[in-house]
Coordinates of all heavy atoms in Angstrom, one line a residue:
P1 N 17.0 -14.3 2.5 CA 15.7 -14.1 3.2 C 15.5 -14.8 4.5 O 15.0 -14.3 5.5 CB 14.7 -14.5 2.2 CG 15.4 -14.3 0.9 CD 16.8 -14.7 1.2
E2 N 16.0 -16.1 4.6 CA 15.8 -16.9 5.8 C 16.6 -16.4 6.9 O 16.2 -16.4 8.1 CB 16.1 -18.4 5.5 CG 17.5 -18.7 5.0 CD 17.7 -18.7 3.6 OE1 16.9 -18.0 2.9 OE2 18.6 -19.4 3.0
L3 N 17.8 -15.8 6.6 CA 18.7 -15.3 7.7 C 18.1 -14.0 8.2 O 18.2 -13.7 9.4 CB 20.1 -15.1 7.1 CG 20.9 -16.3 6.7 CD1 22.3 -16.0 6.3 CD2 21.0 -17.3 7.9
L4 N 17.6 -13.2 7.2 CA 16.9 -11.9 7.7 C 15.8 -12.2 8.5 O 15.6 -11.5 9.6 CB 16.5 -11.1 6.4 CG 15.8 -9.8 6.7 CD1 16.6 -8.8 7.5 CD2 15.3 -9.2 5.4
A5 N 14.9 -13.1 8.2 CA 13.8 -13.4 9.0 C 14.2 -13.9 10.4 O 13.6 -13.5 11.4 CB 12.9 -14.5 8.3
C6 N 15.3 -14.7 10.5 CA 15.8 -15.1 11.8 C 16.3 -14.0 12.6 O 16.1 -13.9 13.8 CB 16.9 -16.2 11.6 SG 16.4 -17.8 10.9
A7 N 16.9 -13.0 11.9 CA 17.4 -11.8 12.6 C 16.2 -11.0 13.3 O 16.3 -10.6 14.4 CB 18.2 -10.9 11.7
V8 N 15.2 -10.9 12.4 CA 14.0 -10.2 12.9 C 13.4 -10.9 14.1 O 13.0 -10.3 15.1 CB 12.9 -10.1 11.8 CG1 11.6 -9.5 12.3 CG2 13.5 -9.2 10.7
V9 N 13.3 -12.2 14.0 CA 12.7 -13.0 15.2 C 13.6 -12.8 16.5 O 13.1 -12.6 17.6 CB 12.6 -14.5 14.8 CG1 12.2 -15.3 16.0 CG2 11.6 -14.7 13.7
A10 N 14.9 -12.8 16.3 CA 15.8 -12.7 17.4 C 15.7 -11.4 18.0 O 15.6 -11.2 19.3 CB 17.3 -13.0 16.9
W11 N 15.6 -10.3 17.2 CA 15.4 -9.0 17.7 C 14.2 -8.8 18.5 O 14.1 -8.3 19.6 CB 15.4 -7.9 16.6 CG 15.0 -6.6 17.1 CD1 15.8 -5.6 17.6 CD2 13.7 -6.0 17.1 NE1 15.0 -4.5 18.0 CE2 13.8 -4.7 17.7 CE3 12.4 -6.5 16.7 CZ2 12.7 -3.9 17.8 CZ3 11.4 -5.7 16.8 CH2 11.4 -4.4 17.4
A12 N 13.1 -9.4 18.0 CA 11.8 -9.3 18.7 C 11.8 -10.0 20.0 O 11.3 -9.5 21.0 CB 10.7 -9.9 17.8
A13 N 12.5 -11.1 20.1 CA 12.5 -11.9 21.3 C 13.3 -11.1 22.3 O 12.9 -11.1 23.5 CB 13.2 -13.3 21.1
C14 N 14.4 -10.5 22.0 CA 15.2 -9.7 22.9 C 14.5 -8.4 23.3 O 14.7 -7.9 24.5 CB 16.6 -9.3 22.2 SG 17.6 -10.8 22.0
S15 N 13.7 -7.8 22.4 CA 13.1 -6.5 22.8 C 11.8 -6.6 23.5 O 11.2 -5.7 23.9 CB 12.9 -5.7 21.4 OG 11.9 -6.4 20.6
G16 N 11.2 -7.9 23.6 CA 10.0 -8.1 24.2 C 8.8 -7.9 23.2 O 7.6 -8.0 23.6
A17 N 9.1 -7.6 21.9 CA 8.0 -7.4 20.9 C 7.6 -8.8 20.5 O 8.3 -9.8 20.6 CB 8.5 -6.6 19.8
P18 N 6.3 -8.9 20.0 CA 5.8 -10.2 19.5 C 6.7 -10.7 18.4 O 7.1 -10.0 17.5 CB 4.4 -9.9 19.0 CG 4.0 -8.6 19.7 CD 5.3 -7.9 19.9
A19 N 7.1 -12.0 18.5 CA 8.0 -12.5 17.5 C 7.3 -12.7 16.2 O 6.2 -13.1 16.1 CB 8.6 -13.9 17.9
I20 N 8.0 -12.3 15.1 CA 7.4 -12.5 13.7 C 8.0 -13.8 13.2 O 9.2 -13.9 13.0 CB 7.8 -11.3 12.8 CG1 7.2 -10.0 13.4 CG2 7.3 -11.6 11.4 CD1 7.6 -8.8 12.6
P21 N 7.2 -14.7 12.8 CA 7.8 -16.0 12.3 C 8.4 -15.8 10.9 O 8.0 -14.9 10.3 CB 6.5 -16.9 12.2 CG 5.4 -16.0 12.0 CD 5.7 -14.7 12.9
A22 N 9.3 -16.7 10.6 CA 9.9 -16.6 9.3 C 8.9 -16.8 8.2 O 7.9 -17.5 8.4 CB 11.0 -17.8 9.2
P23 N 9.0 -16.1 7.1 CA 8.0 -16.2 6.0 C 7.9 -17.7 5.5 O 8.9 -18.4 5.5 CB 8.6 -15.3 4.8 CG 9.5 -14.5 5.6 CD 10.1 -15.1 6.7
A24 N 6.7 -18.1 5.2 CA 6.5 -19.4 4.7 C 6.9 -19.5 3.3 O 7.1 -18.5 2.6 CB 5.0 -19.8 4.8
G25 N 7.1 -20.7 2.8 CA 7.5 -20.9 1.3 C 8.9 -21.4 1.2 O 9.8 -21.3 2.1
S26 N 9.2 -22.0 0.1 CA 10.5 -22.6 -0.2 C 11.5 -21.6 -0.6 O 11.2 -20.4 -0.9 CB 10.4 -23.7 -1.3 OG 10.0 -23.0 -2.5
R27 N 12.8 -22.0 -0.6 CA 13.8 -21.0 -1.1 C 13.6 -20.7 -2.5 O 13.8 -19.6 -2.9 CB 15.2 -21.7 -0.8 CG 16.3 -20.8 -1.3 CD 17.7 -21.5 -1.1 NE 17.9 -21.6 0.4 CZ 19.1 -22.1 0.9 NH1 20.1 -22.5 0.0 NH2 19.3 -22.3 2.2
A28 N 13.2 -21.7 -3.3 CA 12.9 -21.5 -4.7 C 11.9 -20.4 -4.9 O 11.9 -19.6 -5.8 CB 12.6 -22.8 -5.4
Q29 N 10.8 -20.5 -4.1 CA 9.7 -19.6 -4.2 C 10.1 -18.2 -3.9 O 9.8 -17.3 -4.7 CB 8.5 -19.9 -3.3 CG 7.4 -19.0 -3.3 CD 6.3 -19.2 -2.2 OE1 6.6 -19.7 -1.2 NE2 5.1 -19.0 -2.5
Y30 N 10.9 -18.0 -2.9 CA 11.3 -16.7 -2.5 C 12.4 -16.2 -3.5 O 12.5 -14.9 -3.8 CB 11.8 -16.6 -1.1 CG 10.7 -16.4 -0.2 CD1 10.0 -17.5 0.4 CD2 10.2 -15.1 0.1 CE1 8.9 -17.3 1.2 CE2 9.1 -14.9 0.9 CZ 8.5 -16.0 1.5 OH 7.4 -15.8 2.2
A31 N 13.2 -17.0 -4.1 CA 14.1 -16.6 -5.2 C 13.3 -16.1 -6.4 O 13.7 -15.0 -7.0 CB 15.0 -17.7 -5.6
A32 N 12.2 -16.7 -6.7 CA 11.3 -16.3 -7.8 C 10.7 -14.9 -7.5 O 10.7 -14.0 -8.3 CB 10.3 -17.3 -8.1
L33 N 10.3 -14.7 -6.2 CA 9.7 -13.4 -5.9 C 10.7 -12.3 -5.9 O 10.5 -11.1 -6.3 CB 9.1 -13.5 -4.5 CG 8.0 -14.5 -4.3 CD1 7.4 -14.5 -2.9 CD2 6.9 -14.3 -5.3
E34 N 12.0 -12.6 -5.4 CA 13.0 -11.6 -5.5 C 13.4 -11.2 -7.0 O 13.6 -10.1 -7.2 CB 14.3 -12.1 -4.8 CG 14.1 -12.3 -3.3 CD 15.4 -12.9 -2.6 OE1 16.3 -13.4 -3.4 OE2 15.4 -13.0 -1.4
A35 N 13.4 -12.3 -7.8 CA 13.7 -12.0 -9.2 C 12.7 -11.1 -9.9 O 13.0 -10.3 -10.8 CB 13.8 -13.3 -10.0
R36 N 11.4 -11.2 -9.4 CA 10.3 -10.3 -10.0 C 10.4 -8.9 -9.5 O 9.8 -8.0 -10.0 CB 9.0 -10.9 -9.5 CG 8.5 -12.0 -10.5 CD 7.0 -12.4 -10.1 NE 6.4 -13.3 -11.0 CZ 5.8 -13.1 -12.1 NH1 5.8 -11.8 -12.6 NH2 5.3 -14.0 -12.8
T37 N 11.2 -8.7 -8.4 CA 11.3 -7.4 -7.8 C 12.4 -6.6 -8.4 O 13.5 -7.2 -8.4 CB 11.4 -7.4 -6.3 OG1 10.4 -8.3 -5.7 CG2 11.5 -6.1 -5.6
V38 N 12.2 -5.4 -9.0 CA 13.2 -4.8 -9.7 C 13.5 -3.4 -9.1 O 12.7 -2.8 -8.4 CB 12.8 -4.6 -11.2 CG1 12.6 -5.9 -11.9 CG2 11.5 -3.7 -11.3
R39 N 14.7 -2.9 -9.4 CA 15.1 -1.6 -9.0 C 14.9 -0.6 -10.2 O 15.3 -0.9 -11.3 CB 16.6 -1.5 -8.6 CG 17.0 -0.1 -8.1 CD 18.3 -0.3 -7.3 NE 19.4 -0.7 -8.1 CZ 20.3 0.1 -8.6 NH1 20.3 1.4 -8.4 NH2 21.3 -0.4 -9.3
I40 N 14.2 0.5 -10.0 CA 13.9 1.5 -11.0 C 14.8 2.7 -10.8 O 14.8 3.3 -9.8 CB 12.4 1.9 -11.0 CG1 11.5 0.7 -11.2 CG2 12.1 3.0 -12.0 CD1 10.0 1.0 -10.9
V41 N 15.7 2.9 -11.8 CA 16.6 4.0 -11.7 C 16.1 5.2 -12.5 O 15.7 5.1 -13.6 CB 18.0 3.6 -12.2 CG1 19.0 4.8 -12.1 CG2 18.5 2.4 -11.4
T42 N 16.1 6.4 -11.8 CA 15.7 7.6 -12.5 C 16.8 8.6 -12.6 O 17.7 8.7 -11.8 CB 14.6 8.3 -11.7 OG1 15.0 8.6 -10.4 CG2 13.4 7.3 -11.5
A43 N 16.8 9.2 -13.8 CA 17.8 10.3 -14.1 C 17.1 11.6 -14.3 O 16.4 11.7 -15.3 CB 18.7 10.0 -15.3
C44 N 17.2 12.5 -13.4 CA 16.4 13.8 -13.4 C 17.4 14.9 -13.4 O 18.6 14.8 -13.1 CB 15.5 13.8 -12.2 SG 14.5 12.4 -12.0
A45 N 16.9 16.1 -13.7 CA 17.7 17.3 -13.7 C 18.3 17.6 -12.3 O 19.4 18.2 -12.2 CB 16.8 18.5 -14.1
D46 N 17.6 17.3 -11.3 CA 18.1 17.5 -9.9 C 19.0 16.4 -9.4 O 19.3 16.4 -8.2 CB 17.0 17.9 -8.9 CG 16.0 16.8 -8.9 OD1 16.0 15.9 -9.7 OD2 15.1 16.9 -8.0

């Protein structure tokens, strides 16, 4: 997450768009949020 945030900030700076600061919070906090986020797989006829 911290690398992704840095990439977003770098892109914004180069493009002239307002820079988005890195998300606040510790690495442990964001690891917990990622762990709560799940992928839902669906199996359908199509």
